[in-house]
Structures are given as structure tokens and as C-alpha cells.
Amino acid sequence: PHLDWLAQRYPRATVVGAPIAGFYFYAHPYTGPGHTASHLADFREAAWPGHYALWQSFVDESCAAAFPTAPWRCLLSNSSWPYVSSRAFVSEAQSDKVVLTAHDWVPASQDPDWSPHVLRYLSQWQVNMSAALAPLMDPASPHGVFNPACFLHTGFSAHAPLIANHSYLEAFGEWYFRGTPVKLQDRCGLLCNPTCAHSGSHPASTGAAAAPSEAAALLSLAGGEPRTDPEPPMPHLACR
């Protein structure tokens, strides 16, 4: 919510966003066998007006103007991003570990031996995440995306997970420093990226072997090529 505010406050700066595990939508929790409860904030739609009041939240002004009677919707990226004019590079797992287990009632005790009920829920949640990111994946969108088929939250590093032999850090560097329209998204199935901590695919997936070629095709469509030179230093994201 602060990106456009920062851009207006510092008009001579280059302001971009780089959220890691920050692209959220309303929760529709798992209620099947073995479900838990929210360990953190309740992400169901009915809870957000209370969060907004309790936190005295600041939200994107353009988004708030679009939802004058429900500004709390703008706390979630899935609602606010169409109204934010600043560019962003979104790094988000297709199965967000913290959101699923602490907000969406998935029993962490089953990891990695998920029951068929939980696997069906994880598969649908992945579909919802892919749908949420679809507008950012559009080649016409200025935003960058790194979306591996992993079960993790903020565990992105310079070494893993990889999509088309790129880490999120290398992909961000291509997008930020070189202006490459990076759109990296696994399309192999559920929890199927072999460079994730959970490297085994599940019955709901189509197999991990498809991941490299699918991801490489997406990078090629975006106009990028695998890096061969040393990665650049991380920029200051607010200004340079």
C-alpha cells in the first residue's frame, strides 16, 4: 500500500516493490478431516474490517477511493494491485506454507505425507494463486513474477528454489537492472519443483520432469535468457 505514496514522496527516486510471500487473498480455510484453526490473523473476508480498525491501517489511496465503503479490501494485494501504478516483482510460492498452515487451517503435522483430502485442498489453493497472479503474468504487465511450485513462505534464497535455472534473486536482477519482462511460473503440477525442499511430486501433479521445460518456455516468451555473468548487487528498493 505504500509504494505509490513513496513514489509521490520521492519523485526523483526509482521506487519498485519486491514482496516475498506477500501476495494474499481472502482465506477459504480447509475444513476437512484433521483441520486446525488460525494460529495467526484470521484471513477470512468477514475478519478484515476488524483488522483494518484495530491496526488503523494505511492503504493505497487509489484503491481506497475505488472501495469507499470497504477500504479494508485494499489490505490484500489481490485487491489493491490494480490500483497501484508502481512496478513490483512478486516472489510467491504456489503453496504458501505459512498462509496454508497458520491462516487456512491445513494441518502442518501431515507435512509431507498429505492426506488425499488435504492434497485436493492444496491443489485448489494453487489454482486460486495462479488465477490471482494471472494478470501479472500477462506479457503486457510491467510486473515481474517468480512463482515456484513449492511449499514454502519466505524461504527464497540465491540458490533455491530455481525456475529455468534462475533463483528469485537472479530473476529480480534481470527484471530490475536489465528491464527484462520476467514471468517465471512452474506449470508442472503440485509441489513439483525439484529444487524445493519438497522435491517429490504428488498424485495431483503432472510430474516434476515438466518443470524445467515449462519454465524455460515462459522465460523465453518474456524475452530473457539464462544468466552467465555474475549477479549484480541487490539495489536499494526505495531509491537509488
Side-chain angles (χ1 to χ4, degrees):
H2 63 286
L3 278 179
D4 283 353
W5 180 87
L6 280 172
Q8 294 167 8
R9 178 66 178 82
Y10 301 102
R12 297 177 61 187
T14 298
V15 177
V16 301
I20 298 175
F23 203 91
Y24 296 162
F25 38 78
Y26 292 133
H28 299 278
Y30 168 71
T31 57
H35 76 80
T36 58
S38 294
H39 300 304
L40 301 178
D42 187 347
F43 274 14
R44 289 174 292 179
E45 184 173 1
W48 286 96
H51 298 335
Y52 181 83
L54 176 65
W55 300 334
Q56 300 181 30
S57 300
F58 171 82
V59 297
D60 179 78
E61 294 175 344
S62 297
C63 182
F67 300 107
T69 62
W72 52 83
R73 293 184 60 175
C74 303
L75 287 168
L76 294 169
S77 298
N78 195 43
S79 297
S80 64
W81 79 263
Y83 305 96
V84 177
S85 58
S86 300
R87 297 183 305 135
F89 188 93
V90 176
S91 299
E92 181 70 49
Q94 292 179 16
S95 302
D96 189 302
K97 182 176 182 178
V98 169
V99 177
L100 283 163
T101 59
H103 298 286
D104 285 348
W105 306 5
V106 169
S109 61
Q110 291 190 14
D111 178 27
D113 299 316
W114 305 107
S115 71
H117 292 89
V118 171
L119 281 174
R120 284 195 293 271
Y121 180 84
L122 293 179
S123 181
Q124 184 58 57
W125 202 94
Q126 180 191 43
V127 169
N128 291 346
M129 176 58 73
S130 296
L133 292 175
L136 284 70
M137 288 292 296
D138 189 313
S141 166
H143 306 296
V145 178
F146 188 86
N147 184 221
C150 300
F151 184 65
L152 58 81
H153 185 56
T154 57
F156 295 82
S157 77
H159 308 289
L162 303 177
I163 306 177
N165 296 320
H166 281 59
S167 69
Y168 93 98
L169 192 60
E170 292 171 321
F172 176 82
E174 291 281 354
W175 176 81
Y176 184 82
F177 289 104
R178 297 186 175 186
T180 304
V182 176
K183 315 283 185 180
L184 289 173
Q185 183 179 61
D186 279 329
R187 294 186 177 179
C188 52
L190 183 64
L191 305 178
C192 56
N193 186 312
T195 66
C196 303
H198 295 71
S199 59
S201 61
H202 287 266
S205 74
T206 57
S213 59
E214 290 279 6
L218 286 171
L219 183 67
S220 178
L221 286 172
E225 296 294 339
R227 290 184 56 85
T228 57
D229 55 326
E231 64 187 56
M234 281 293 288
H236 191 295
L237 299 185
C239 57
R240 68 166 193 172

